[in-house]
Amino acid sequence: MHFGSAKKWLRGGLLALAALQTVASVWQYVFPRSFYDDFPTVRLDPPYNEHLISDVGGLGLALTAMLYFAAWVLDSKVVLSALIGYLIYAATHFTFHIRHFDHFSFLEAVGVGTGLGLEVALALVFLCVGWRVHRAESAATTRTEAVTRRDVSDQEPV
């Protein structure tokens, strides 16, 4: 994958993850009871706790801000840190749900497992792309520094 197109894919991926996270986080934070009552399968979880759901929504909004900022600046270190944070969140969320399908129908379990598994897969894909971009940027910086040092050492003293 070409460096420029990798960065475009990375920006698109970051924006997609941020958009998905925005919807859930705003819903959790602003309308926690509605999220608990209306989001598919959440009603199958333990009893409603407004404090817990709104706190999770607030944390999701923080993660959303990190993803949007990473997509905006496309600095590889910022991108990698945002994606690592998102991957940890997505993987732990996925792990919880696949271990708690007791009251789910088969279709609900497949839907939740697939949706949350897709978030983990996307985070891994974009993390790999981000890592490749980071390595390419680091290599380019190293080459530029080497050329600059060579050019400086080639100059004759005045």
Side-chain angles (χ1 to χ4, degrees):
M1 180 181 292
H2 184 265
F3 180 69
S5 65
K7 286 189 93 166
K8 287 180 184 176
W9 274 99
L10 192 54
R11 176 172 279 138
L14 287 163
L15 290 171
L17 293 176
L20 291 170
Q21 189 63 44
T22 298
V23 171
S25 298
V26 167
W27 192 357
Q28 289 167 327
Y29 189 73
V30 179
F31 305 107
R33 185 70 210 199
S34 170
F35 183 84
Y36 181 81
D37 290 339
D38 302 324
F39 194 88
T41 72
V42 171
R43 62 178 158 58
L44 301 171
D45 289 336
Y48 173 71
N49 180 321
E50 180 179 359
H51 179 215
L52 179 61
I53 289 183
S54 63
D55 280 358
V56 169
L59 290 169
L61 289 171
L63 185 55
T64 297
M66 290 174 54
L67 291 166
Y68 280 122
F69 183 71
W72 181 45
V73 299
L74 271 187
D75 175 273
S76 63
K77 291 177 183 173
V78 174
V79 166
L80 291 174
S81 64
L83 286 169
I84 288 167
Y86 185 83
L87 177 60
I88 291 168
Y89 162 75
T92 57
H93 190 202
F94 173 75
T95 300
F96 174 85
H97 280 287
I98 63 169
R99 294 176 56 223
H100 295 87
F101 282 150
D102 301 346
H103 299 94
F104 285 52
S105 72
F106 176 74
L107 288 178
E108 289 168 332
V110 168
V112 169
T114 302
L116 296 177
L118 184 60
E119 288 181 346
V120 173
L122 287 173
L124 284 169
V125 167
F126 295 128
L127 188 59
C128 289
V129 173
W131 181 250
R132 291 184 71 194
V133 167
H134 174 70
R135 287 181 54 203
E137 286 178 349
S138 294
T141 301
T142 301
R143 284 191 301 272
T144 301
E145 290 171 352
V147 168
T148 302
R149 281 193 300 270
R150 188 189 71 224
D151 289 347
V152 168
S153 66
D154 288 346
Q155 293 178 353
E156 294 181 26
V158 179

